[in-house]
Amino acid sequence: MICSTGPHEEKDKTDAAHQGKQAISRFSNFSPQRPACSPMPSRSLHVAVIGAGAAGLVAARELRREGHDPVVFERGAGVGGNWLYHPAASADPLGSGGVQSSLYASLRTNVPRECMGFLDFPFVADAGATSSYSDDPRRFPGHEEVLRYLQEFARRFDLLGLIRLETEVVSVRRDDTSAGWKLWYRSRKLPGAGGEEVKVVEDDVFDAVVVCNGHSDEPRLADIAGIDGWPGKQMHSRNYRVPDPFHGQVVVIVGYAPSGLDISRDIVGVAKEVHVAHRSPATSETQSTAHANLWLHPMIERASEDGSVVFQDGCRVKADAILYCTGYKYNFPFLGDDVGVFVDDNRVDPLYKHVFPPHLAPHISFIGLSLKALQFPVFQLQSTWVARVLSGRAELPSQEEMMEDMAAFYSELEARGCPKSYTHDLGECTYEYEDWVADQCGLERIERWRKEMFVAALKNFADRPESYRNEWDDDHLLLEAHRDFTKYF
């Protein structure tokens, strides 16, 4: 490595904590008018749910609670979506290649389990004798515990009978003979002759479709000058599982969000050197860290044919591998252009409040696109909103009003200098958004302790990047959470 290193600094994560604090003050005064909801559902629809991860499971539950008839299509062999870990990775280290999971073996949650779980199904370590998901008591448990929690959720609410496993939706189109939507799906069948397993494409017609296929499938890569001629190994974090393949190597990691932080610490124990490139304005020059063989850099300026990687501060390293922890692109391969919903620079457009395409609402909807939010609670609120709009207990504005709202939202993002790719990043508006959706459903807003715990976790992540999962200062909120949970046991 040819460069000098400055003092150890970890300032790049403080923006997230600051945004969280701003949000607490903003939602306290946000009081939109609560819409009127009729007491009983007036419509019962046949609804397709695409995906049986966290969003798809809670969508199915809320749809059935509202009197609808949901069918869940899941391409994997079990429920859990991205939380269903698979040790194998794609044959293409930069692609998805049909492997469903993007988890690495050592992954733990980056928010406390108490605020992560569904609103009425606490994610606690000791959930009583009827629970089967309490094998990992840590506040920030491993991915196996999250999968057990989701599996238990599916069992507890009798959802498994609604789910068609190993069934992949390949196309969604308007049905010309009805007012509904036709789904073509491919599933594994055992034909009578020969007994060999084949995939058969079938179709069915639904009144509505709820898209819950997640947002951690299609890798998003950094644009690096000269990368096509760079001779080293490249991999996206989607295909990272364990550190062993990087033993003794010089590794450059692009990105320093939670996955970049985790993987850099995972690899540092076996690699010769680890260099992390990220966009934080606080990182204008190379910085040392608490690990003797780990450095933080500004972003990469170029990669060269001799195997070197040059950072924006002029630092140059001869690297064996580049590992992209740069996130994902939204991808809906089953939606044709005729549906009229497109992904433009990672903005799913058009979408009213991240859920409803105005020209198709309410019969096409999307659950779980939001980033930097209390994910499972947001999935639940969005699912309840969709279910009640479909039944007639909640109402949407007119198509014109929804389009006007979207235009105003996009203009606000542009005025703030927010890139289009951040459209679904709720950031400092997450609590305002959650409260707004709860109001549309006539539900109580998310508990204050849960919001404050999330903010405390963001701050703790910024202050203690090496130990935030094992040290915290919010025990008072933990006690409040467990008092609140008693009504569910």
Side-chain angles (χ1 to χ4, degrees), residues 85-279:
Y85 175 76
H86 198 291
S90 169
D92 176 7
L94 295 177
S96 53
V99 177
Q100 181 174 351
S101 178
S102 62
L103 302 178
Y104 38 95
S106 63
L107 184 141
R108 293 171 62 185
T109 67
N110 56 11
V111 294
R113 63 193 307 153
E114 295 83 14
C115 65
M116 177 180 176
F118 295 120
L119 299 172
D120 56 354
F121 189 68
F123 186 20
V124 293
D126 182 10
T130 60
S131 170
S132 61
Y133 65 83
S134 56
D135 291 348
D136 183 350
R138 295 174 295 179
R139 283 196 77 193
F140 295 80
H143 58 82
E144 302 93 341
E145 179 83 344
V146 182
L147 177 62
R148 287 190 291 266
Y149 169 76
L150 294 174
Q151 291 170 334
E152 180 69 13
F153 180 84
R155 283 189 291 267
R156 188 74 61 87
F157 295 101
D158 197 23
L159 303 177
L160 297 176
L162 307 177
I163 302 168
R164 301 183 186 180
L165 297 175
E166 297 184 306
T167 303
E168 181 179 9
V169 174
V170 295
S171 180
V172 177
R173 297 289 186 275
R174 290 184 185 273
D175 182 47
D176 294 335
T177 61
S178 71
W181 292 84
K182 180 173 283 190
L183 265 72
W184 284 265
Y185 52 92
R186 182 168 48 229
S187 59
R188 293 192 173 110
K189 301 290 183 182
L190 287 175
E196 70 276 10
E197 191 176 72
V198 298
K199 291 185 177 181
V200 178
V201 175
E202 303 172 84
D203 63 81
D204 201 352
V205 176
F206 294 86
D207 299 308
V209 178
V210 183
V211 179
C212 305
N213 68 326
H215 49 66
S216 299
D217 187 59
E218 187 70 18
R220 186 181 179 95
L221 302 176
D223 186 13
I224 299 174
I227 196 64
D228 291 341
W230 188 75
K233 176 173 64 178
Q234 297 180 65
M235 176 186 287
H236 189 275
S237 61
R238 190 187 191 284
N239 294 304
Y240 174 82
R241 296 295 183 268
V242 294
D244 306 57
F246 301 95
H247 191 277
Q249 295 186 357
V250 176
V251 182
V252 172
I253 294 177
V254 184
Y256 205 43
S259 64
L261 177 67
D262 282 353
I263 293 173
S264 68
R265 271 52 177 183
D266 216 17
I267 289 177
V268 77
V270 301
K272 179 181 178 182
E273 297 177 5
V274 178
H275 301 268
V276 179
H278 62 132
R279 297 185 183 279

